[in-house]
Amino acid sequence: MAHDDPRTMVSTDWLAAHIKDPDLRILDATWFMPDDGRDARAEYRACHIPGARFFDIDEISDHRSDLPHMVPPVEKFMSRLRAMGVGDGHQVVVYDALGLFSAARVWWLFRLMGQPDIAVLDGGLPKWVAEGREVEDLPPMVRDRHMTVRRQNQMVRDVTQVAAASKLGDHEILDARSPGRFTGREDEPRPGLRKGHVPGSRNVHYRDLLNADGTMKSPEDLRAMFDAAGVDLGKPAITTCGSGVTAAIINLALERIGKTDHSLYDGSWAEWGAFPTVPVATGDT
């Protein structure tokens, strides 16, 4: 990676050097696809970076919605984080057990809630473990900490806003799903969804933004990936994916190259693919 930035991404070396800082808080935000057959919380209990709290993406969400892990109400976010001992004045580092998969979603969620002092651990738990660094299976000591939330509504988009952007062409809509799902050649993992993509969107598969070891590519390489995908970085960007998790990897990558006018379509394909009145495109365009 190019450099450590406590508001976007930090290295394992940075975390090791700061792990005992009194105002550092570490979050394990591991989340697995429903058909992976893995239990993220159980894996956290068995092995996590010292002091890490478990951030449950499915639980800290809006349970009033039929869609998976939608943005929680502000009050719920505040209360859950306070109970985890995370609040104002803390530098947060978030990681996951797949290298870089679900951690970016929590980074984006903190930013949405007006909490900018959060960074993703580059390479996540796999890199930390591969380097022989300390792990533990003990629950952390937690003290309540007040959190002030100032929701940044411009960072999230709903189906109506995405439909308008698709029709007008005034945003770049960037889809993080695999090329097979984007073109409609592959079935969706969630039953009952149409196949294809939002008309006018571009496919930027999240894996193309990562190195083989799960770390994020350099800002120079990221910019080249966006160029190769035909992305006009002069337009504001809206990211999307299957259910709003890997889309945030694109948001993180955009932030790493200095682009700040980006948002995330929270409902993503779980909503668009089930919505009967919005159009679906297939193929490469």
Side-chain angles (χ1 to χ4, degrees):
M1 62 177 289
H3 64 276
D4 292 309
D5 177 4
R7 291 193 169 193
T8 56
M9 181 170 281
V10 296
S11 64
T12 50
D13 286 341
W14 186 97
L15 181 57
H18 291 270
I19 197 165
K20 295 190 182 299
D21 289 2
D23 284 328
L24 180 76
R25 293 294 181 269
I26 305 171
L27 300 179
D28 182 325
T30 300
W31 177 85
F32 299 117
M33 291 290 289
D35 57 356
D36 283 345
R38 296 176 65 177
D39 185 331
R41 188 180 288 273
E43 292 190 21
Y44 160 80
R45 289 182 180 133
C47 174
H48 54 262
I49 294 175
R53 287 95 159 123
F54 183 71
F55 189 104
D56 190 331
I57 286 175
D58 285 327
E59 199 284 320
I60 306 176
S61 66
D62 188 353
H63 288 181
R64 301 167 300 182
S65 173
D66 293 332
L67 298 169
H69 41 254
M70 293 296 97
V71 169
V74 166
E75 297 78 11
K76 183 174 184 178
F77 181 83
M78 291 172 61
S79 67
R80 294 296 190 273
L81 270 295
R82 178 173 181 169
M84 293 165 65
V86 180
D88 295 341
H90 283 152
Q91 171 64 51
V92 179
V93 174
V94 60
Y95 71 88
D96 63 60
L98 293 175
L100 208 174
F101 184 69
S102 52
R105 167 73 185 193
V106 175
W107 169 84
W108 170 81
L109 184 58
F110 267 69
R111 297 289 294 267
L112 173 66
M113 297 295 181
Q115 292 284 332
D117 296 322
I118 180 168
V120 173
L121 179 64
D122 198 20
L125 186 62
K127 190 170 191 293
W128 183 268
V129 170
E131 293 169 347
R133 302 185 191 272
E134 183 182 1
V135 293
E136 66 181 16
D137 59 1
L138 303 172
M141 297 285 290
V142 173
R143 294 181 180 177
D144 280 8
R145 179 79 163 241
H146 175 72
M147 175 177 282
T148 304
V149 169
R150 300 179 182 88
R151 182 174 154 125
Q152 308 296 304
N153 290 325
Q154 77 279 4
M155 292 190 64
V156 65
R157 294 289 182 263
D158 62 23
V159 65
T160 302
Q161 292 168 315
V162 175
S166 171
K167 184 176 181 180
L168 295 173
D170 56 353
H171 290 67
E172 286 283 28
I173 303 173
L174 308 179
D175 192 322
R177 293 175 302 154
S178 68
R181 290 173 66 188
F182 179 83
T183 59
R185 293 192 301 267
E186 295 176 7
D187 290 335
E188 285 295 309
R190 291 178 175 83
L193 299 182
R194 295 175 293 170
K195 295 189 291 184
H197 56 267
V198 178
S201 59
R202 299 184 186 275
N203 191 203
V204 181
H205 190 199
Y206 77 91
R207 288 183 182 171
D208 291 339
L209 304 175
L210 308 178
N211 298 308
D213 63 354
T215 57
M216 182 166 275
K217 290 181 176 179
S218 70
E220 295 76 20
D221 288 344
L222 292 174
R223 191 174 288 275
M225 291 300 307
F226 288 121
D227 287 344
V231 177
D232 181 355
L233 293 172
K235 292 182 179 180
I238 300 172
T239 67
T240 182
C241 61
S243 63
V245 174
T246 58
I249 298 174
I250 303 181
N251 295 87
L252 179 61
L254 291 170
E255 197 78 18
R256 289 289 284 172
I257 66 172
K259 183 173 175 61
T260 58
D261 55 342
H262 54 83
S263 56
L264 185 149
Y265 172 26
D266 200 22
S268 284
W269 200 254
E271 181 176 43
W272 192 279
F275 218 90
T277 60
V278 292
V280 168
T282 56
D284 295 321
T285 58

